[in-house]
Amino acid sequence: IFDMDTATMSQATRDYLRAAEKDGRMVNIQEEIPKSFIVTEKEDGRDTVWVSQISTSALLGRVKAGIGE
């Protein structure tokens, strides 16, 4: 889980996100201003970038609480 504001300060991260979008590996959960992104890996090794308007702290809280399992 990455904060969109701080993580995208790096050119490497911006390049990674641009490539993920170009390759069709990016999923925008909603069309609002993004606050975070989550990188997941499938069993075949391909990754997916989920872009969310939910803050990293809220997402981490949900993970710790077991919400969404």
Side-chain angles (χ1 to χ4, degrees):
I1 300 175
F2 300 89
D3 180 87
M4 190 64 81
D5 289 333
T6 58
T8 55
M9 294 176 87
S10 163
Q11 182 64 45
T13 303
R14 290 193 305 272
D15 291 345
Y16 172 77
L17 292 173
R18 197 172 298 115
E21 184 173 27
K22 180 182 174 188
D23 296 344
R25 297 179 288 118
M26 183 177 285
V27 178
N28 286 306
I29 297 173
Q30 289 189 351
E31 294 300 320
E32 296 178 24
I33 297 173
K35 294 182 182 177
S36 61
F37 64 96
I38 303 97
V39 179
T40 60
E41 184 178 17
K42 297 179 182 179
E43 289 181 15
D44 64 3
R46 288 188 40 92
D47 58 334
T48 301
V49 178
W50 301 86
V51 180
S52 175
Q53 81 288 354
I54 301 172
S55 70
T56 54
S57 59
L59 288 171
L60 287 171
R62 290 179 183 190
V63 168
K64 289 178 182 176
I67 295 173
E69 291 184 20

